[in-house]
């Protein structure tokens, strides 16, 4: 009895050695650090494709160390929930918006305000300089994620289902303008004079098609990539927000890396940013023609009227009350 128990134990022990031998190579492969990426971006948009650049760069600089898993179309986490997922350790990487950040770092709302950042070059200078360094430090402390690079998402324009004469914010009165679902985004829709309606990015196409919304705002390359031009008739070139998103990594993942890994990770995020920015800027300058060919009307409103009204709305709001003294001037003076 005793004898057979011993024999059985030995057999189990022996077979687990064999088993371990068999799974060891696989286990070694699994030693790669898994980096899950989640983004609502559609595959054909530059800030979706940039993740492949990020992944390839990392594989080139540190072969076999990381397993970058790219999840597009908000298939892993819903739009706007990525920062919380990263803070909880359920997600390693995402591109987060100024609006996501402003929820936890209130002074960051300065970058959700219309007509503050002037153009993509100004954006890079602001975020790659001392202002960016100060702001990103607060982000790392308060959100438990570390921003690695700044991505130009494009300049946001108003895109309508039906043609309408729009010169000033008053002309958008009553227009159900879809915005992403947070109060910071809805405030921007309000500031434009519209009736902001919250909806996740993935539901916008259908909302435009069926008429549950009258319009949406996004940069031209996204209007093209998400095919919103198929279900809308007009683009009003308000240019109200030079929008940026930030490649960010969870502090849990970041703090587990050595100095070389951190440096290569930052370089990969910068390569992704350059790829996105160059392609997006180029495409943005060519798209008006494309949309006209598709039968859309592309109209120019009184941009000064929009600028004055939107800026006044922000300056008189509670958002501006928490902007550190002198920050707006410093942003404006960044050249
Ligand atoms: C959008 O929902 O309108 C928006 O442009 C907001 C951005 O912050 C970003 O989330 C973007 O969608 C997605 O990446 C899809 O392009």
């Amino acid at each position: 009895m005793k004898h057979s128990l011993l024999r059985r134990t030995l057999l189990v022990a022996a077979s687990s050695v064999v088993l371990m031998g068999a799974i060891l190579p696989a286990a070694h492969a699994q030693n790669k650090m898994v980096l899950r990426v989640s983004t609502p971006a559609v595959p054909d948009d530059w800030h979706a494709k940039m993740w492949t650049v990020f992944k390839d760069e990392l594989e080139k600089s540190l072969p076999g160390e990381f397993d970058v898993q790219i999840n597009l179309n908000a298939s892993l986490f819903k739009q706007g929930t990525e920062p919380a997922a990263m803070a909880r350790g359920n997600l390693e990487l995402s591109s987060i918006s100024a609006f996501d950040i402003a929820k936890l770092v209130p002074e960051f709302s300065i970058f959700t305000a219309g007509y503050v950042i002037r153009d993509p070059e100004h954006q890079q200078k602001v975020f790659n300089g001392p202002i960016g360094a100060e702001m990103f430090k607060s982000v790392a402390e308060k959100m438990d994620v570390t921003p690695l690079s700044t991505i130009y998402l494009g300049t946001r324009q108003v895109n309508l289902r039906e043609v309408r004469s729009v010169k000033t914010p008053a002309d958008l009165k009553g227009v159900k303008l879809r915005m992403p679902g947070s109060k910071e985004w809805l405030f921007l829709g309000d500031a434009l004079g519209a009736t902001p309606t919250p909806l996740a990015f993935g539901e916008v196409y259908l909302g435009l098609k069926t008429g549950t919304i009258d319009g949406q705002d996004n940069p031209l390359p996204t209007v093209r990539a998400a095919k919103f031009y198929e279900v809308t008739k007009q683009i009003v070139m308000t240019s109200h927000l030079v929008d940026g998103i930030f490649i960010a990594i969870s502090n849990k993942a970041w703090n587990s890396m050595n100095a070389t890994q951190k440096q290569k990770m930052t370089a990969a995020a910068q390569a992704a940013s350059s790829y996105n920015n160059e392609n997006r800027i180029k495409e943005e300058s060519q798209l008006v023609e494309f949309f006209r060919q598709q039968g859309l009307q592309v109209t120019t409103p009184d941009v000064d009227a929009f600028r004055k009204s939107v800026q006044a709305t922000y300056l008189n709001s509670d958002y501006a009350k928490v902007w550190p003294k002198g920050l707006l001037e410093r942003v404006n003076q960044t050249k």
Side-chain angles (χ1 to χ4, degrees):
M1 187 69 178
K2 247 190 200 166
H3 197 76
S4 73
L5 188 67
L6 180 68
R7 202 177 117 80
R8 236 193 341 206
T9 314
L10 282 174
L11 266 176
V12 169
S15 63
S16 49
V17 169
V18 172
L19 205 75
M20 265 175 68
I23 62 169
L24 256 181
H28 181 68
Q30 280 159 15
N31 276 345
K32 281 184 175 187
M33 184 175 188
V34 172
L35 297 175
R36 292 163 293 185
V37 177
S38 183
T39 167
V42 292
D44 203 21
D45 213 336
W46 300 109
H47 66 303
K49 294 186 194 171
M50 76 176 179
W51 285 108
T52 307
V53 173
F54 174 85
K55 182 182 165 109
D56 292 350
E57 279 296 313
L58 215 48
E59 191 53 35
K60 241 191 286 161
S61 58
L62 294 171
E65 290 197 26
F66 297 101
D67 176 10
V68 179
Q69 301 174 356
I70 304 169
N71 301 278
L72 306 177
N73 293 318
S75 57
L76 195 56
F77 286 98
K78 279 195 202 152
Q79 182 181 33
T81 65
E82 304 90 348
M86 285 196 279
R88 282 198 309 269
N90 294 336
L91 177 70
E92 286 71 42
L93 284 156
S94 187
S95 51
I96 60 177
S97 72
F99 296 79
D100 297 327
I101 298 174
K103 286 186 201 164
L104 291 161
V105 185
E107 61 271 30
F108 216 92
S109 66
I110 197 166
F111 301 115
T112 68
Y115 303 105
V116 168
I117 296 291
R118 294 187 295 268
D119 52 44
E121 204 187 324
H122 184 216
Q123 180 183 64
Q124 289 297 315
K125 289 207 169 125
V126 167
F127 289 108
N128 293 335
I131 297 174
E134 287 160 33
M135 291 296 217
F136 290 161
K137 190 164 172 279
S138 302
V139 172
E141 283 163 9
K142 295 189 184 155
M143 296 180 69
D144 230 359
V145 305
T146 296
L148 300 177
S149 69
T150 302
I151 312 300
Y152 174 56
L153 190 65
T155 301
R156 297 183 85 92
Q157 317 290 356
V158 170
N159 175 208
L160 299 174
R161 219 178 152 251
E162 297 296 342
V163 175
R164 187 182 178 99
S165 167
V166 180
K167 289 288 170 218
T168 70
D171 300 323
L172 286 177
K173 196 169 178 336
V175 169
K176 276 187 272 162
L177 186 68
R178 172 273 168 180
M179 304 299 287
S182 80
K183 72 174 181 21
E184 290 78 8
W185 277 110
L186 298 178
F187 190 83
L188 178 62
D190 249 329
L192 288 167
T195 303
T197 308
L199 202 62
F201 183 80
E203 289 160 38
V204 175
Y205 185 95
L206 201 61
L208 290 168
K209 194 173 170 153
T210 58
T212 52
I213 49 174
D214 300 322
Q216 66 91 28
D217 86 307
N218 252 295
L220 299 184
T222 298
V223 175
R224 198 255 325 140
K227 299 197 166 26
F228 296 151
Y229 64 87
E230 292 179 350
V231 283
T232 54
K233 297 199 176 119
Q234 185 181 4
I235 294 173
V236 187
M237 298 293 284
T238 46
S239 300
H240 54 275
L241 184 72
V242 175
D243 205 0
I245 49 175
F246 307 90
I247 291 190
I249 185 162
S250 74
N251 280 353
K252 189 169 174 230
W254 186 244
N255 295 334
S256 74
M257 289 177 198
N258 62 38
T260 310
Q261 290 175 323
K262 284 182 179 171
Q263 192 228 320
K264 303 294 183 197
M265 188 77 46
T266 307
Q270 268 152 12
S273 165
S274 302
Y275 165 85
N276 168 85
N277 296 3
E278 278 160 29
N279 284 296
R280 191 178 292 279
I281 289 167
K282 184 164 170 233
E283 193 194 21
E284 203 166 34
S285 70
Q286 298 163 348
L287 277 174
V288 168
E289 209 28 60
F290 169 77
F291 292 129
R292 288 201 169 124
Q293 279 162 13
Q294 299 300 313
L296 275 81
Q297 289 199 21
V298 183
T299 60
T300 308
D302 181 347
V303 177
D304 276 342
F306 270 97
R307 182 181 295 108
K308 277 191 194 125
S309 169
V310 169
Q311 284 181 342
T313 307
Y314 273 92
L315 286 173
N316 293 325
S317 73
D318 284 347
Y319 290 113
K321 291 195 181 121
V322 298
W323 297 348
K325 208 169 172 294
L327 180 60
L328 185 58
E329 291 71 18
R330 285 174 66 205
V331 171
N332 288 340
Q333 281 155 17
T334 302
K335 296 228 157 71

